[in-house]
Amino acid sequence: MKQLRTEEEAQAAFAEEVALVYKHSTRCPVSLMAHAEVERFAEAHPEVPVYVVDVVFGRPVSRWVADRTGVVHHSPQAILLRRGEPAWDASHMGITAGALERGLGGGDGPQR
């Protein structure tokens, strides 16, 4: 998983064919659970780049991602991008390895 600290780094995620952007708060227990699920997904799908935004220390990047995608900010939050466009997203307890996998396949979850 790659950390996104700048807008320029975030733009790299949007240049990928498929990528997952995960917004994480180090101060939130729900984020800790979601982070573990994102790690499980990343291990099962090494072909999908996973980018992590620390919403506490990377607030400008988090806002940039929200503005760029049009997906209202939540934390924790996972946004699946396809060719730079949001294709699926989930937040809070909706972030599970299974839900991410279904989102990757075009199933279950908010579709864009």
Side-chain angles (χ1 to χ4, degrees):
M1 296 194 304
K2 304 169 191 170
Q3 294 292 320
L4 296 181
R5 295 179 185 93
T6 66
E7 183 180 316
E8 291 75 26
E9 290 175 349
Q11 288 173 351
F14 287 83
E16 301 276 4
E17 184 69 21
V18 175
L20 180 68
V21 175
Y22 170 63
K23 292 183 175 187
H24 177 72
S25 171
T26 55
R27 299 177 181 168
C28 171
V30 175
S31 276
L32 291 176
M33 290 186 298
H35 192 275
E37 293 293 316
V38 171
E39 284 180 328
R40 283 184 45 215
F41 171 81
E43 288 172 10
H45 294 279
E47 76 282 7
V48 178
V50 177
Y51 296 89
V52 180
V53 178
D54 181 325
V55 299
V56 175
F57 296 105
R59 190 173 306 268
V61 176
S62 180
R63 283 189 193 133
W64 185 87
V65 169
D67 291 344
R68 171 68 174 78
T69 62
V71 177
V72 175
H73 169 76
H74 291 282
S75 174
Q77 182 174 58
I79 303 170
L80 182 70
L81 302 172
R82 292 191 185 279
R83 291 174 293 287
E85 296 298 324
W88 178 92
D89 67 87
S91 65
H92 299 88
M93 300 305 287
I95 301 172
T96 65
L100 293 166
E101 204 162 293
R102 289 187 298 276
L104 182 61
D108 195 33
Q111 298 290 311
R112 302 273 156 197

